[in-house]
Amino acid sequence: MLHCRLDRHSKAVALGISLFGEEHKAGVLGIVNYVQLSSTEHPSLVVYHDFNHLVAVALRADSFAISMKLSTRERQTLFLAAMFHDILHSYGNAVDIINITTAMYEIQEVCRMDLYPFIAHINVEQISHAIMCTIFPFKIRPTSDIECCLRDADLCMSLEEDADMFALGLQNEFANKGETVNVTVESMMEFAKLQRFYTIECAQLFGFNHAYRFKTDKLKTKE
């Protein structure tokens, strides 16, 4: 399980390079390191919304994007949105609108930095809109395929190899809010099943064969 967490840095870098190109390896590494340093684990607790979560969401969101045949630019946008969607999270010490606002501000600042010119073509508003779809409780409906992939990937921590660590981290974050909640992998799974899914790939992971689409209220079922 520990190796799974240790591998996430290299997997994030590998995904970034595959999306932006080997010639931008140094820049990708810089962004991943920036995110990791800005999302360090709590000094005394296992927490949920740390670097491990950001990378796990980025990897799974990209797998959904590939299944949906998103373009390279859409996948690049999704990668950045996933890597920044919970950056500088309060770990339960603030309401989620503050966490999300912080994340959107952070990616906007990074996109303005001269250090990362290779992401200058990415629309930062698309990133911000995608991040908004992850605000808890989930009330903002996705309006693009990018947003659908990020929103669904954010629900999948109960499916990760280190799901029990994520459960403990979420329980600790509830405790930081003064709430005593017994969080388990099973309870995380059940919570996810109660949400709408916007990609058929994610829905099928949780045992459903249909997903909502952002353009209509009709269900879309994979043939």
Side-chain angles (χ1 to χ4, degrees), residues 16 114 222:
D114 293 336
K222 182 175 268 187

Side-chain angles (χ1 to χ4, degrees), residues 61 64-65 68 70 78 130 133 141-155 196-200 202 212-215:
F64 295 159
M68 295 176 70
L70 268 62
L78 178 60
C133 289
R141 188 168 184 170
T143 59
S144 72
D145 286 331
I146 293 171
E147 294 168 20
C148 288
C149 290
L150 181 60
R151 162 66 168 69
D152 278 9
D154 201 30
L155 285 172
R196 282 187 172 187
F197 300 107
Y198 294 96
T199 64
I200 191 64
C202 184
Y212 288 84
R213 296 300 292 137
F214 57 85
K215 293 180 180 177

Side-chain angles (χ1 to χ4, degrees), residues 92-130:
N93 294 316
V95 295
D96 208 34
I97 185 62
I98 293 178
N99 297 322
I100 293 299
T101 301
T102 298
M104 290 192 297
Y105 175 80
E106 196 69 13
I107 186 59
Q108 289 167 4
E109 288 299 298
V110 167
C111 284
R112 293 190 186 102
M113 289 183 182
D114 293 336
L115 291 174
Y116 308 116
F118 70 99
I119 63 173
H121 65 290
I122 301 297
N123 187 327
V124 70
E125 288 187 6
Q126 289 183 336
I127 299 176
S128 295
H129 290 164

Side-chain angles (χ1 to χ4, degrees), residues 2-223:
L2 180 60
H3 78 275
C4 171
R5 298 197 151 209
L6 293 175
D7 282 348
R8 287 210 171 101
H9 181 278
S10 59
K11 287 182 177 179
V13 172
L15 175 57
I17 293 172
S18 73
L19 293 172
F20 290 97
E22 183 70 30
E23 67 273 23
H24 298 304
K25 180 177 180 179
V28 169
L29 181 61
I31 286 180
V32 173
N33 287 344
Y34 180 92
V35 172
Q36 186 175 40
L37 289 172
S38 301
S39 304
T40 54
E41 294 187 2
H42 192 282
S44 60
L45 290 174
V46 173
V47 291
Y48 182 98
H49 294 95
D50 64 356
F51 181 73
N52 287 287
H53 172 66
L54 299 178
V55 180
V57 170
L59 294 171
R60 197 172 293 273
D62 191 64
S63 72
F64 295 159
I66 291 172
S67 295
M68 295 176 70
K69 296 180 172 57
L70 268 62
S71 68
T72 298
R73 179 171 292 193
E74 287 174 315
R75 289 174 61 199
Q76 291 172 340
T77 304
L78 178 60
F79 172 77
L80 292 171
M83 290 297 294
F84 280 83
H85 82 281
D86 278 325
I87 196 171
L88 296 173
H89 197 276
S90 68
Y91 304 140
N93 294 316
V95 295
D96 208 34
I97 185 62
I98 293 178
N99 297 322
I100 293 299
T101 301
T102 298
M104 290 192 297
Y105 175 80
E106 196 69 13
I107 186 59
Q108 289 167 4
E109 288 299 298
V110 167
C111 284
R112 293 190 186 102
M113 289 183 182
D114 293 336
L115 291 174
Y116 308 116
F118 70 99
I119 63 173
H121 65 290
I122 301 297
N123 187 327
V124 70
E125 288 187 6
Q126 289 183 336
I127 299 176
S128 295
H129 290 164
I131 290 174
M132 277 295 294
C133 289
T134 68
I135 190 171
F136 182 82
F138 298 117
K139 292 183 178 180
I140 298 180
R141 188 168 184 170
T143 59
S144 72
D145 286 331
I146 293 171
E147 294 168 20
C148 288
C149 290
L150 181 60
R151 162 66 168 69
D152 278 9
D154 201 30
L155 285 172
C156 292
M157 293 305 100
S158 60
L159 304 176
E160 296 296 329
E161 182 181 348
D162 51 341
D164 55 340
M165 296 291 285
F166 282 117
L168 176 60
L170 189 56
Q171 182 171 292
N172 288 338
E173 290 184 18
F174 275 117
N176 283 344
K177 293 190 289 186
E179 302 177 27
T180 302
V181 180
N182 182 31
V183 182
T184 65
V185 175
E186 291 72 24
S187 67
M188 291 168 60
M189 177 83 70
E190 290 308 310
F191 170 81
K193 288 181 178 179
L194 293 175
Q195 310 307 309
R196 282 187 172 187
F197 300 107
Y198 294 96
T199 64
I200 191 64
E201 291 75 17
C202 184
Q204 290 180 328
L205 290 174
F206 288 97
F208 299 93
N209 65 355
H210 59 265
Y212 288 84
R213 296 300 292 137
F214 57 85
K215 293 180 180 177
T216 72
D217 283 323
K218 296 179 179 179
L219 297 175
K220 179 180 179 181
T221 304
K222 182 175 268 187
E223 299 297 333

